[in-house]
């Protein structure tokens, strides 16, 4: 690849020797282009290699929330039917701070990726390692294969075709996976009890038909476990469960209810061209369950960005939070993309709650309708009021709360500084200087929230850009 002309001559020679096979020549040219891109990235320092990627470091360990920063705290109670338990800031948080780095309790790959990704760690396969017993899955290394085949896969291996053919959802498979990876019925029961204490299931709101369908699936999965000798060799082929088997069946039924509301989709960033930002797209490859991350409540204006390295979830703040403030996640219904009516309908249907966040209460417009004239904070330190954006050249506005005239000239100048930081951050992204882009964007976002309150178009664009930068630090699939 040091001499493109010689490579082209070799390609033409290959074309002749292959009997002028145009398809083979096309594939060869694609491979040559991939090598050229990799060589270019190596020369410019922009190469993307998952092996070199490291998980972010947290500020300190949290005694109450495993895998979370010590700057977080758990608030609320299970008995609160409106908010339940949720995550708040224990200390002031800046934008772009890592706050959770959490491995999955259990994770399942989508079946369509069984042939392209490792069934254990979700890495893109380069030199697949097969299961010695089945042709249904593949692994990225002997280590992943041995770990899976000595754990969950030995119970799923011979019944994988049946499980897939049953048409069950990936959440059903995840419920089974949580049991099989426990290794023994006793450990599965222990894990089930722990997750039941952590995860919301809304048992009291389910219809009898819902219970029946989930019970039927639990019975099917339990029967698969019996046949796979998860409980040891049975003395009878009767389907009636023993007391121990019935307990595990109860665990599966509970998981089938709680995973509906608590599973997270795991994604990788798919890069289809030379520029790793412009050609990046999110590709969902599986689902996982996470104890601490499941504690974040939803708002249509999220406060965190989520990315994954393998099956490990990393959460970063996307805006600043004062101590005591609720830190919201987003369950897929972001106000910049979905109108309020659609968000409410979807959340009630999928998660069984109505959202009362500020974006919903104030009916914030979609991204294309947003303006760059936000409500400004009153500049007096002892006043927490917000003021309308000045419509005239005179920047003086009377605050109805503190009854003083506020000169917003300095605030407006600093708002221009935010825009300048956003522009510089966008340029850094265009040049693939991701760390610099994160620093510039987070500075601008922090400054904006000192001066004004959302919605504000440029700031939300910057927050989305920050999310893209964090995704670039997660799992990458170059195609």
């Amino acid at each position: 690849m040091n001499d493109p002309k010689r490579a082209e001559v070799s390609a033409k020679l290959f074309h002749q020797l292959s009997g002028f096979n145009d398809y083979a020549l096309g594939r060869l040219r694609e491979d040559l282009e991939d090598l050229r891109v990799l060589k270019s990235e190596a020369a410019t320092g922009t190469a993307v290699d998952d092996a070199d990627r490291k998980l972010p470091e947290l500020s300190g360990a949290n005694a109450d929330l495993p895998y979370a920063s010590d700057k977080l705290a758990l608030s609320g109670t299970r008995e609160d039917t409106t908010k339940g338990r949720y995550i708040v800031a224990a200390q002031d948080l800046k934008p772009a701070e890592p706050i959770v780095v959490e491995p999955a309790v259990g994770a399942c790959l989508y079946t369509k990726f069984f042939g392209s990704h490792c069934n254990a760690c979700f890495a893109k396969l380069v030199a697949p390692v097969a299961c010695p017993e089945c042709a249904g899955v593949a692994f990225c290394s002997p280590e992943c294969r041995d770990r899976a085949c000595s754990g969950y896969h030995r119970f799923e291996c011979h019944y994988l075709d049946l499980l897939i053919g049953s048409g069950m959802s990936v959440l059903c498979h995840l419920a089974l996976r949580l049991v099989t990876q426990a290794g023994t019925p006793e450990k599965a029961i222990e894990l089930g009890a722990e997750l039941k204490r952590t995860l919301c299931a809304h048992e009291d709101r389910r219809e009898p038909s819902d219970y029946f369908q989930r019970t039927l699936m639990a019975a099917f999965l339990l029967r698969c476990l019996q046949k796979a000798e998860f409980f040891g060799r049975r003395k009878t082929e009767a389907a009636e469960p023993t007391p121990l088997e019935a307990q595990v069946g109860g665990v599966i039924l509970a998981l089938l209810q709680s995973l509906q509301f608590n599973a997270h989709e795991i994604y990788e960033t798919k890069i289809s061209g030379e520029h790793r930002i412009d050609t990046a797209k999110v590709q969902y490859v599986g689902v996982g369950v996470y104890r601490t991350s499941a504690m974040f409540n939803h708002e249509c204006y999220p406060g965190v960005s989520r990315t994954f390295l393998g099956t490990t979830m990393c959460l970063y703040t996307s805006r600043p939070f004062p101590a005591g403030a609720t830190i919201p996640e987003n369950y897929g219904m972001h106000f910049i993309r979905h109108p309020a009516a659609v968000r409410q309908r979807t959340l009630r249907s999928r998660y069984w709650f109505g959202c009362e966040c500020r974006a919903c209460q104030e009916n914030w417009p979609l991204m294309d309708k947003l303006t760059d004239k936000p409500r400004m904070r009153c500049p007096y330190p002892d006043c927490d009021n917000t003021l309308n954006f000045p419509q005239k050249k005179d920047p003086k506005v009377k605050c109805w709360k503190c009854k003083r005239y506020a000169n917003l000239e300095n605030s407006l100048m600093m708002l221009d500084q935010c825009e300048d930081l956003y522009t510089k951050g966008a340029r850094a992204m265009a040049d693939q200087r991701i760390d610099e882009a994160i620093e510039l964007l987070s500075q601008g976002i922090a400054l904006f929230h000192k001066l004004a309150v959302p919605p504000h178009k440029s700031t939300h664009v910057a927050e989305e850009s920050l999310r893209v930068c964090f995704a670039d630090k997660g799992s990458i699939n170059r195609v």
Side-chain angles (χ1 to χ4, degrees), residues 171-172 175 195-196 199-207 210-215 217-218 249-263 350-352:
L171 294 183
C172 297
L195 292 178
K196 190 170 184 178
L199 307 179
C200 169
H202 292 312
E203 301 100 324
D204 57 332
R205 298 174 58 184
R206 294 186 180 275
E207 297 292 334
D210 183 279
Y211 266 119
F212 176 75
Q213 292 173 5
R214 294 178 193 277
T215 302
M217 177 54 67
V251 168
I252 296 173
L253 179 58
L255 289 171
L256 290 174
Q257 296 174 72
S258 61
L259 291 177
Q260 175 185 357
F261 307 112
N262 296 282
R350 188 176 301 171
Y351 298 104
W352 299 6

Side-chain angles (χ1 to χ4, degrees), residues 33-74:
E33 176 62 18
D34 288 343
L35 289 172
R36 187 192 67 78
V37 170
L38 291 173
K39 181 175 181 292
S40 173
E41 288 179 338
T44 59
T46 60
V48 178
D49 186 356
D50 273 1
D52 295 334
R53 294 169 182 270
K54 296 181 180 179
L55 295 170
E57 294 185 4
L58 301 176
S59 60
N62 193 310
D64 300 319
L65 294 168
Y67 306 108
S69 163
D70 58 352
K71 294 184 178 182
L72 304 187
L74 186 63

Side-chain angles (χ1 to χ4, degrees), residues 298 343-353 355:
H298 164 88
R343 299 198 304 269
Q344 293 290 348
R345 184 169 63 248
T346 303
L347 292 169
R348 289 185 186 279
S349 171
R350 188 176 301 171
Y351 298 104
W352 299 6
F353 71 85
C355 184

Side-chain angles (χ1 to χ4, degrees), residues 122-267:
F122 291 18
K124 181 71 183 295
L125 295 176
V126 178
V129 178
C131 166
E133 297 290 332
C134 76
V137 299
F139 303 95
C140 65
S141 65
E143 291 76 19
C144 274
R145 177 202 60 196
D146 294 345
R147 187 171 68 252
C149 290
S150 63
Y152 69 86
H153 189 62
R154 63 191 169 117
F155 302 114
E156 300 178 15
C157 181
H158 297 291
Y159 297 92
L160 203 54
D161 289 342
L162 174 63
L163 295 171
I164 296 171
S166 71
M168 71 180 192
S169 72
V170 69
L171 294 183
C172 297
H173 198 167
L174 181 55
L176 179 69
R177 177 66 52 81
L178 289 166
V179 171
T180 56
Q181 73 177 22
T184 67
E186 292 78 11
K187 289 182 179 178
I189 293 169
E190 182 180 339
L191 175 64
E194 182 181 346
L195 292 178
K196 190 170 184 178
R197 290 192 297 269
T198 304
L199 307 179
C200 169
H202 292 312
E203 301 100 324
D204 57 332
R205 298 174 58 184
R206 294 186 180 275
E207 297 292 334
S209 59
D210 183 279
Y211 266 119
F212 176 75
Q213 292 173 5
R214 294 178 193 277
T215 302
L216 195 62
M217 177 54 67
F220 167 69
L221 296 176
L222 181 62
R223 185 59 174 158
C224 290
L225 289 174
Q226 290 174 334
K227 299 293 287 185
E229 299 185 356
F230 180 73
F231 304 97
R233 188 174 295 276
R234 304 181 85 233
K235 297 179 180 179
T236 175
E237 282 299 311
E240 184 175 348
T242 66
L244 181 64
E245 292 171 346
Q247 280 187 277
V248 173
V251 168
I252 296 173
L253 179 58
L255 289 171
L256 290 174
Q257 296 174 72
S258 61
L259 291 177
Q260 175 185 357
F261 307 112
N262 296 282
H264 284 81
E265 275 197 296
I266 298 170
Y267 75 85

Side-chain angles (χ1 to χ4, degrees), residues 367 369-376 389 412 415-416 419 422 448 452 455-461:
M367 178 66 90
K369 301 294 183 181
L370 287 173
T371 71
D372 284 326
K373 295 181 178 181
R375 290 183 61 82
M376 307 297 293
F389 193 88
L412 295 175
L415 191 62
D416 289 337
E419 299 281 0
Y422 296 157
F448 169 81
H456 179 242
K457 187 170 187 175
S458 295
T459 296
H460 298 313
V461 170

